[in-house]
Amino acid sequence: MDKLKSFDTLFEQKMFRIPDYQRGYAWQESHLEDFWNDIVQLPENRSHYTGTIMLQDITNKVKEDDKEHWLIKQHGYKMYHIVDGQQRVVTFLILVQALVEFLRERDEFKRKPVEEIFIAEGVSLKDVTDKFLFKTKNTYRSYKFAYSKDNLADEFFRYNILDKKGSSETSNTFYTLNMKTAKKYFKTQIANLYNEEGKGMAALAKIYTTLTQQFILDKRTLKDDFDVHASFETINNRGKSLSTFELLKNRLSYLITLLPDVDSAERRSLQNNINETWKEVYEQLGRNAEKPLDDDGFLWAHWYMYFYEESESYSAKEFLLDEKFTLGNVHNEGLPSDDIKDYLNSLKESAKHWFNQHAPYKAEELSTKEQDALDKLNRLGPRYFRPLIRALFVKDIKEGIRVCLLNRIERYIFLVFGLLQKRSNYKKEIFAGYAYQTYCEGLDVKGFEKELQEHSKLCFKNHTEPVINHAKILGDWYPWGALKYFLQEYELERAPNFRDPYTHNLKGHEVEHILPQTIDSNDNYWRELFPADDAEEDWRYYKNSLGNLLLLPKKLNSSASNKPFAKKKAIYKNGSYSEQKVSEYEDWTPEAIRERGCRLLSFMAKRWNFKFENEYAKQELLWIDDMDNLEEGDTPCPPEANDIAEALDPCE
């Protein structure tokens, strides 16, 4: 009979499995903190309602040769699918394992058998593992909880969470990284609690007792005729919302059970294909443990590439769940099994390209030119071109053309969104369809190049290339969104050996004001170099002028701060190319800021292939309001800055 159960009673003579239509472990650190705080703050005489757990009995599906069958036959165990409540159960088990490991690793317990290590009065670690984690027969473990066997999380949970010994190598996925985070979090909290003065073992015993006996679940067992797939979205959308990609997996699993004229063997094949596809996608999303990728971001880009022609008036979620993969389409025979197979194969095939696109230097199959081009786009921000970029790699396009197109896209983004600062959806409706065209029909390279050129003309005087329309982009440089990217590109052009710190560790770098943003009233050095009737107004122009801005590692930026230039030079002289060049100036004067700014603008024109109308156009862009202070015969910027833009060669 269903009723409120503690975790202690819930696990009595039961084994639990996560069915293949379920998402993985999705709790983030905020959920873990809430769970932990609920435990440590709960009074001894109170219970804590943890939520509902919905189960479906699958005992009759366990085969005699399954390694868990002995528990059913000899000890009366039952096996259940967890339809709802996975997140809480997995969190409970990770915390239990963290407690077990903490005690086993204590010096006083290392040589003791688990039967002689007690976590609470009369409860040994052997009792804990037998009840909640696994039972052992001979040398084989029968696990009380597991994922479906084709789920990467299954091996990860056994080897990385439950510390199973062996040589199996497990892959990270978006979900297994969450498990790893949870275990690390709980082990840290347990150690901190144990080491608090006067706490020790008594505190751990209280944690165990509270967790296993005072945390209460509302256990409900579903009837055999209950259609789990049909109710999945409603049941599982409590707590942390399901992503569209997670909902899509269940939807496809449900629809294949209803396909007409499909035998049981083909249904099993389709379900295996679904499982393999989601397994591959989540493995690719989690390959970079430091920065796992979002599943709905992957799905959005694929939707653009695969369905855009027939779905441009919908969102990805609306189209996929309300228009394409629906019960109505199955009944109307508008969703043949071959269409589902083709879609699954496309998702699976494009997953590695999505990872490569985000982490190009981890993708060995990419050429150096491809890696560099993708890295530039990632640092600048690829805007709405991500689906097209993926299509360029999924389809068989010559490397030279692909690299050329990536560079053209980067130039367009820099000019239109960087310099001109157009809104994020500018001309999106035009370029969105190119991902679909590339994937389904083949890209019209010349037509695409023409569109890029046509819609970047607003940047140029009289809307013709290549003379930049400086009046359109006049403004303060410091808050400029593309500033850090621009300074990185300048560094890479001048000193390629500085690639690592400038492209792979951006969080550790900040933009430094060489002339400080604020100057102390007693700072005679800076006040003598920048005399003015209204000194603060004069500094306002110079401090945020392009020539005064320098990319520095965060630690150096803090140490340089408001120091006089002589002390800043000592910090700069052993740094990057830009730091070293700045350190060569005797003093940091208005002329130095102007001269360096002119040099940076000269690089900008050459790097992104345009030119300025004249030297005075550059002067206006430098945000220095002292044109009248120029001596007779002087020009605002050196003549060598007037580079001539070259015609762009076609990508072919």
Side-chain angles (χ1 to χ4, degrees), residues 91 211 241 251 284 290 302 326 334 360 377 484 498 502 541 552 578 581 612 618 638:
T91 304
L211 179 63
S241 297
R251 177 67 61 82
Q284 294 296 337
E290 296 177 0
H302 185 272
T326 65
L377 283 164
K484 187 179 286 189
F498 282 93
Y502 280 84
Y541 289 108
L552 276 185
S578 297
K581 295 301 289 185
F612 295 96
K618 288 188 176 183

Side-chain angles (χ1 to χ4, degrees), residues 53 88 136 181 208 238 251 268 359 367 461 498 525 533 563 588 603 649:
I53 181 167
R88 292 180 290 277
T136 304
T181 298
Y208 176 80
R238 296 186 293 264
R251 177 67 61 82
R268 284 196 300 273
S367 70
K461 201 168 184 66
F498 282 93
Y525 173 80
D533 294 335
K563 290 181 171 62
W588 196 246
F603 162 75
D649 293 328

Side-chain angles (χ1 to χ4, degrees), residues 445-461:
V445 175
K446 290 183 179 179
F448 178 66
E449 287 188 274
K450 185 177 179 180
E451 293 279 14
L452 287 175
Q453 186 172 350
E454 180 68 26
H455 298 295
S456 61
K457 283 183 177 179
L458 284 177
C459 295
F460 299 98
K461 201 168 184 66

Side-chain angles (χ1 to χ4, degrees), residues 365-520:
E365 60 266 43
L366 297 182
S367 70
T368 301
K369 289 182 178 180
E370 289 172 324
Q371 290 174 332
D372 290 345
L374 288 170
D375 177 61
K376 291 178 191 299
L377 283 164
N378 286 335
R379 288 185 285 114
L380 177 59
R383 306 284 172 158
Y384 46 69
F385 288 98
R386 275 219 184 273
L388 172 59
I389 294 168
R390 172 154 64 173
L392 290 174
F393 283 90
V394 172
K395 304 306 288 184
D396 186 18
I397 295 175
K398 291 181 180 178
E399 179 190 325
I401 294 177
R402 184 187 293 127
V403 171
C404 181
L405 291 173
L406 293 175
N407 290 334
R408 290 285 192 275
I409 292 170
E410 185 267 353
R411 179 177 184 263
Y412 175 86
I413 293 172
F414 184 83
L415 293 176
V416 172
F417 299 109
L419 289 181
L420 202 58
Q421 300 182 60
K422 298 295 287 184
R423 287 184 298 181
S424 61
N425 63 348
Y426 173 76
K427 301 302 177 184
K428 179 180 179 180
E429 73 282 0
I430 292 174
F431 290 108
Y434 275 102
Y436 177 87
Q437 182 196 95
T438 302
Y439 185 78
C440 297
E441 302 168 0
L443 177 64
D444 175 7
V445 175
K446 290 183 179 179
F448 178 66
E449 287 188 274
K450 185 177 179 180
E451 293 279 14
L452 287 175
Q453 186 172 350
E454 180 68 26
H455 298 295
S456 61
K457 283 183 177 179
L458 284 177
C459 295
F460 299 98
K461 201 168 184 66
N462 300 321
H463 292 185
T464 58
E465 295 194 66
V467 180
I468 197 77
N469 188 349
H470 62 278
K472 286 274 189 179
I473 56 175
L474 182 64
D476 194 344
W477 287 97
Y478 183 60
W480 181 38
L483 176 61
K484 187 179 286 189
Y485 176 73
F486 169 72
L487 294 176
Q488 292 161 6
E489 288 301 289
Y490 180 73
E491 193 67 33
L492 290 173
E493 179 79 14
R494 295 294 185 265
N497 290 338
F498 282 93
R499 172 176 304 282
D500 255 17
Y502 280 84
T503 61
H504 299 304
N505 189 23
L506 301 185
K507 290 183 179 178
H509 287 75
E510 295 178 343
V511 176
E512 147 90 338
H513 289 77
I514 305 171
L515 166 66
Q517 294 190 75
T518 57
I519 300 176
D520 191 275

Side-chain angles (χ1 to χ4, degrees), residues 232-256:
F232 176 83
E233 294 171 26
T234 302
I235 293 172
N236 283 270
N237 231 358
R238 296 186 293 264
K240 189 177 187 300
S241 297
L242 294 161
S243 69
T244 303
F245 194 59
E246 291 164 337
L247 292 171
L248 180 61
K249 180 184 181 184
N250 175 73
R251 177 67 61 82
L252 291 171
S253 296
Y254 174 48
L255 294 181
I256 64 173

